[in-house]
Amino acid sequence: MSENAISVRNLYRYFGALKAVQGVSFDIPHGSVCGFVGANGAGKTTTMRILASLDYPTMGTAEICGYNVVSHPDEVRRLIGWMPDHFGNYEHMTVAEYLDFYARALGYKGKERRLRVQEVMEFTDLVPLAERFSNKLSKGNTQRLGLGRALLQDPQILIMDEPAAGLDPKARVELKSLIRVLASEGKTIFISSHILSELGEMCDSLLFINGGRIVHHGDAESLKRGTEQAGGYLYDVQILGDPEALSSWCLLQPGVEFTEARKYGGRLNIQGDNVEDAADVLRRMIKDGLQITEFHREERNLEDAFIDMLGRIERGEVSAAAPTGGRAIRPPVPPPLPTAATEPAEEDKTLNSSSN
Ligand code: ATP
């Protein structure tokens, strides 16, 4: 068996002059859950579509269980379940018919097909909606149907592009628990999302992409620690009286940054790597007459850590190719911009438009 379920090396994808993916490398071991995080347009869908063998890289390699996605798409498609961010449902086709249609396309026949469709509907809790038209489902049930479709051939690897986008909190929790069950069955799951805190809870590792480059690959804790050490610690401070007194005081203090106003005070970032630094700040506040009612260290959340890290990359304090924590990523060697010969072929464009 290949060492990793997913392996990507120096992957590039250009659309004309637009560099959507620029030298991405990462590995995802078998049986792990990896979250893929990045802003709009960061390159997540492009990378995932290449992994799903729906698009070709401009340069570099991507492998699923050791199979190159370009030279062995059939093997790759047998191994993965692909859940795109948008997919079409057919009018006048019920949930059961929709799944049955895809099960036929995958080659299931007779009793085995009916059994598989039934199993998938049970897993995704779609049995009560089996006769409902597939294009008349709520967003949450539509996502269940998409997941069901991706699970029909019981894939080893699930690639899910923003499956929780647009779901209400209840549908989100339900989807998360389905993903947990799949992970506990040993499936490898590669899942993209904008909601970092959600991914942090369920993923073994997080892969951050920014401007087509990987900026961090590690677990949620290593990201938090990496930015904490570099960026100080956050404290919630509340005072009696005018909360603006706190922000004004911070302006004059080296190593103390007022990061967010709150009803009775604010959130401060205190530079330093031990509690003595914070104790010193507290002592100075009291000495200067601030009436402190609350002073406690806050857990840095993933959003804070990610934003800190992007800020440090923008300021040139760290390189995008040398992440602040987790596994080191080899710096990419950029290829020249594609010429007519390296532009995606006509058939590629067909693939692009038919993936959903
Ligand atoms: P989002 O979170 O908004 O889905 P993303 O991280 O998935 O964003 P991609 O969809 O991978 O980002 O897009 C990366 C960049 O490539 C964007 O600038 C996008 O406009 C561009 N892009 C993607 N597909 C194509 C295409 N077929 N032709 C031209 N440009 C494209």
Side-chain angles (χ1 to χ4, degrees):
M1 189 160 79
S2 59
E3 197 187 332
N4 292 297
I6 298 177
S7 189
V8 172
R9 285 290 169 280
N10 285 332
L11 195 76
Y12 289 79
R13 179 60 164 110
Y14 292 165
F15 296 105
L18 194 144
K19 301 172 178 179
V21 174
Q22 304 189 59
V24 159
S25 298
F26 60 91
D27 293 314
I28 303 178
H30 290 278
S32 73
V33 182
C34 177
F36 199 23
V37 189
N40 291 122
K44 303 181 295 295
T45 301
T46 304
T47 306
M48 287 182 142
R49 282 171 45 80
I50 292 172
L51 285 170
S53 76
L54 295 168
D55 193 6
Y56 296 135
T58 304
M59 199 177 98
T61 57
E63 290 177 355
I64 298 286
C65 296
Y67 289 108
N68 186 298
V69 296
V70 175
S71 56
H72 292 80
D74 292 343
E75 286 82 354
V76 165
R77 287 169 197 178
R78 268 193 284 278
L79 288 163
I80 63 160
W82 162 240
M83 188 174 165
D85 52 353
H86 297 101
F87 56 94
N89 291 343
Y90 304 110
E91 258 183 75
H92 309 306
M93 198 183 246
T94 65
V95 164
E97 287 166 348
Y98 181 91
L99 291 172
D100 186 69
F101 170 79
Y102 279 98
R104 278 172 201 265
L106 288 166
Y108 284 97
K109 291 192 173 52
K111 196 171 161 212
E112 192 195 10
R113 191 180 74 240
R114 284 191 292 280
L115 198 66
R116 191 63 204 134
V117 168
Q118 185 63 23
E119 278 170 359
V120 161
M121 285 199 300
E122 280 170 14
F123 178 77
T124 51
D125 219 2
L126 285 171
V127 175
L129 301 174
E131 298 311 316
R132 183 82 59 89
F133 283 130
S134 61
N135 63 335
K136 300 278 185 246
L137 298 174
S138 67
K139 178 75 182 163
N141 287 327
T142 301
Q143 291 307 82
R144 284 169 185 274
L145 184 60
L147 177 60
R149 184 180 115 181
L151 291 174
L152 275 171
Q153 59 174 346
D154 195 18
Q156 281 183 34
I157 298 169
L158 256 181
I159 302 177
M160 310 171 83
D161 193 6
E162 299 269 358
L167 296 188
D168 64 36
K170 181 167 170 278
R172 267 210 165 102
V173 169
E174 288 166 356
L175 181 75
K176 223 163 31 172
S177 69
L178 288 181
I179 292 170
R180 275 206 197 97
V181 174
L182 292 166
S184 71
E185 288 173 0
K187 294 198 188 301
T188 306
I189 302 177
F190 188 39
I191 177 171
S192 71
S193 173
H194 293 291
I195 304 170
L196 275 81
S197 42
E198 197 162 84
L199 283 181
E201 282 170 35
M202 71 178 158
C203 294
D204 301 308
S205 69
L206 292 172
L207 189 62
F208 286 82
I209 185 166
N210 185 49
R213 297 176 201 271
I214 301 298
V215 293
H216 176 88
H217 189 186
D219 62 17
E221 289 313 308
S222 75
L223 176 70
K224 289 188 205 167
R225 272 198 312 274
T227 52
E228 251 176 12
Q229 282 153 11
Y233 293 94
L234 292 170
Y235 283 81
D236 175 48
V237 181
Q238 296 181 16
I239 61 172
L240 277 182
D242 183 2
E244 278 191 24
L246 181 63
S247 53
S248 311
W249 183 84
C250 291
L251 281 176
L252 303 171
Q253 308 299 319
V256 182
E257 186 192 355
F258 188 85
T259 62
E260 185 188 321
R262 288 183 173 165
K263 196 170 174 191
Y264 300 110
R267 195 183 199 206
L268 314 188
N269 187 27
I270 298 179
Q271 290 288 339
D273 50 16
N274 54 45
V275 285
E276 280 79 13
D277 296 303
D280 182 50
V281 169
L282 177 59
R283 190 181 49 74
R284 281 188 275 140
M285 281 177 173
I286 294 168
K287 184 167 157 277
D288 292 343
L290 289 172
Q291 292 183 279
I292 309 295
T293 57
E294 187 83 35
F295 184 96
H296 72 264
R297 187 160 140 198
E298 280 197 350
E299 171 82 349
R300 181 173 292 253
N301 63 35
L302 277 174
E303 275 84 1
D304 294 326
F306 186 44
I307 288 164
D308 274 1
M309 187 175 57
L310 292 185
R312 292 171 61 213
I313 290 168
E314 268 168 30
R315 293 191 297 274
E317 291 165 20
V318 292
S319 138
T324 48
R327 208 171 304 164
I329 310 292
R330 262 188 298 142
V333 183
L337 273 173
T339 59
T342 55
E343 276 286 71
E346 208 45 47
E347 74 184 287
D348 179 22
K349 289 172 190 155
T350 315
L351 281 166
N352 274 338
S353 57
S354 65
S355 66
N356 292 338

